[in-house]
Amino acid sequence: MQFSSTSDNAGIVEEIDFLIGTDSTSYPLTQKARNVNRYLDEVVSLILQSDGRWEFDDNNYTNLPIATTSLVNEQQDYSISGGTFLKILRVEVKDINGNYYLLTPISEKDIQNQAMTEFQETAGMPKYYDKLGNSLFLYPKPSSANTTLTAGLKVYYQRTPSYFVSTDTTKTPGFNPLYHRILSIGAALDYAMANGMTGKIKILTPLLTKLEDGLISFYTQRIKDESVRMRMGRENYGQDNESRYASDKVAFY
């Protein structure tokens, strides 16, 4: 569904007006875009809670959600954009031979008997990273003798959606088109609540809930090219009288 399609009245803007009887004067385009983006945030939040092994990214982006930056010799912390990065999926560092290696995520809670400033304090090839605020801390800090500094840090992440502006026309939401109406119904519902349109609220609320439930179900189940496999394993719960305490267990992987 396009943001606006005046030729056939099939856009998000036109459906908002159809649902609650508004126009560009009573419900200006700037307000519609604001509320559509509010529900776009909600959609992405629901997807990120549901998408499992197939990580979501807004279809409107023309690049991949993979960022690289240069390392600085013996610099430990590297800033990330808090307004763009919603989830960090993995972090890699390039060694002196130009090969990337996966780092292990840690938290300060994992370091119980040592000061963080003393943990892996000798510069070298990083093995771990800690997320703190809008920064990644590498342990140990990178050394030019062990790492390639140029484009030496690579981050895989999930990001904010591509938002609409009031002048958009042909741009479409970057998620499953079967659920684009969440944006138009949601923006219509916001107007109805702000203007005391009780009848419209009663009609639109269950429609929105049904679509959101469908969205969650779709993104939870969309990995159809992978299947859960089972294997039988035997585990013993005691060395004496082995046959009595043996138990078959099913493992999923």
Side-chain angles (χ1 to χ4, degrees):
M1 182 183 288
Q2 295 179 189
F3 182 70
S4 179
S5 181
T6 56
S7 61
D8 57 6
N9 291 323
I12 294 172
V13 167
E14 289 74 30
E15 184 170 51
I16 293 170
D17 289 336
F18 172 76
L19 289 170
I20 51 176
T22 53
D23 55 30
S24 59
T25 300
S26 58
Y27 197 172
L29 279 172
T30 53
Q31 294 181 15
K32 286 172 179 155
R34 177 199 64 203
N35 291 341
V36 165
N37 286 333
R38 173 175 174 265
Y39 280 92
L40 184 56
D41 278 337
E42 183 173 332
V43 163
V44 171
S45 176
L46 293 174
I47 291 174
L48 293 186
Q49 296 174 58
S50 312
D51 63 353
R53 289 169 58 87
W54 184 350
E55 290 85 5
F56 168 78
D57 191 48
D58 193 306
N59 295 336
N60 287 293
Y61 289 116
T62 58
N63 62 339
L64 294 172
I66 303 172
T68 57
T69 189
S70 293
L71 295 169
V72 178
N73 187 47
E74 299 196 18
Q75 177 177 309
Q76 191 157 52
D77 62 292
Y78 295 83
S79 63
I80 57 178
S81 174
T84 300
F85 289 72
L86 294 178
K87 279 187 179 182
I88 302 296
L89 301 178
R90 62 189 288 144
V91 177
E92 299 174 353
V93 165
K94 190 189 297 185
D95 71 7
I96 195 64
N97 298 314
N99 300 311
Y100 280 102
Y101 286 87
L102 178 66
L103 303 188
T104 301
I106 62 169
S107 167
E108 61 181 29
K109 296 179 181 179
D110 299 322
I111 313 303
Q112 296 291 331
N113 301 313
Q114 190 175 13
M116 293 300 295
T117 53
E118 305 302 318
F119 176 68
Q120 297 280 318
E121 63 176 328
T122 302
M125 179 65 182
K127 299 177 182 177
Y128 311 97
Y129 72 94
D130 182 20
K131 301 179 290 289
L132 180 61
N134 290 331
S135 292
L136 295 177
F137 284 75
L138 306 184
Y139 296 93
K141 64 188 75 171
S143 165
S144 57
N146 302 94
T147 60
T148 298
L149 299 181
T150 302
L153 180 64
K154 182 181 289 188
V155 180
Y156 296 74
Y157 62 99
Q158 287 182 286
R159 53 191 163 184
T160 54
S162 177
Y163 294 109
F164 292 99
V165 295
S166 61
T167 54
D168 279 327
T169 53
T170 59
K171 182 176 179 179
T172 61
F175 60 93
N176 187 333
L178 296 178
Y179 303 100
H180 285 180
R181 292 193 74 207
I182 291 174
L183 306 184
S184 54
I185 292 174
L189 180 59
D190 275 2
Y191 183 92
M193 290 189 296
N195 290 275
M197 303 169 69
T198 306
K200 293 292 186 181
I201 294 171
K202 290 181 178 179
I203 294 171
L204 295 175
T205 299
L207 288 176
L208 181 63
T209 300
K210 182 178 180 180
L211 283 168
E212 289 178 337
D213 289 344
L215 177 85
I216 293 170
S217 179
F218 171 79
Y219 280 98
T220 300
Q221 302 179 46
R222 70 172 178 162
I223 310 175
K224 293 299 184 183
D225 59 333
E226 298 184 27
S227 59
V228 176
R229 296 175 292 166
M230 292 191 302
R231 60 180 173 82
M232 298 296 296
R234 181 169 290 275
E235 185 169 326
N236 294 321
Y237 292 97
Q239 294 181 352
D240 296 332
N241 199 0
E242 181 175 320
S243 61
R244 179 181 177 185
Y245 292 100
S247 173
D248 288 328
K249 302 190 75 177
V250 178
F252 293 86
Y253 61 101

